[in-house]
Amino acid sequence: MDSRMQHAFEQRHGKHTPADPALRGKLFKPFAALKGYYDIIDRRSRVVCPQAPLTDEEERALNQQLACVSKGSLVSVTYYEEDGYVTEVAAVRQLDTTFRVLHLVSHDVPLDSVRELHLVTECA
């Protein structure tokens, strides 16, 4: 660009100042062009199965594990959600035996949907 064109450009648009590096970095952040695509793929990859009732022996073992659960315990819990079983490792916020809900740090799990529960941290 010659000096006359540069001068005309600066008069019309103002002098160009370089962008702040922190703001400039936002221009190059990755983005999800297909929002929700990976959620759909994850759902499709789940094996759909009906919820199976617990046997008396499984229910007794689950109750023994629940007796050891306290606030802050780290547990591995397998529970039924929507159309299949999910296994998750999370910390326990609270065990509500009245409303039969296991409150994890990330979300709540109804005790009626729990298939297996194992303590990752030992029961005191």
Side-chain angles (χ1 to χ4, degrees), residues 54-69 95 97 100 111-112 114-119 123:
L54 294 175
T55 64
D56 291 338
E57 188 177 309
E58 290 171 331
E59 195 169 333
R60 212 171 307 131
L62 182 60
N63 286 334
Q64 287 175 349
Q65 290 291 337
L66 286 170
C68 292
V69 171
L95 175 62
T97 54
R100 300 194 43 78
L111 288 179
D112 295 334
V114 174
R115 179 82 185 161
E116 292 179 8
L117 184 121
H118 302 284
L119 287 164
C123 181

Side-chain angles (χ1 to χ4, degrees), residues 51-118:
Q51 184 175 6
L54 294 175
T55 64
D56 291 338
E57 188 177 309
E58 290 171 331
E59 195 169 333
R60 212 171 307 131
L62 182 60
N63 286 334
Q64 287 175 349
Q65 290 291 337
L66 286 170
C68 292
V69 171
S70 61
K71 182 178 180 178
S73 296
L74 190 61
V75 295
S76 170
V77 60
T78 302
Y79 59 95
Y80 191 81
E81 180 181 74
E82 292 180 22
D83 56 1
Y85 285 97
V86 178
T87 301
E88 180 178 351
V89 176
V92 175
R93 275 186 309 157
Q94 179 185 4
L95 175 62
D96 188 345
T97 54
T98 305
F99 294 105
R100 300 194 43 78
V101 177
L102 178 63
H103 299 280
L104 301 175
V105 173
S106 55
H107 63 283
D108 300 338
V109 177
L111 288 179
D112 295 334
S113 68
V114 174
R115 179 82 185 161
E116 292 179 8
L117 184 121
H118 302 284

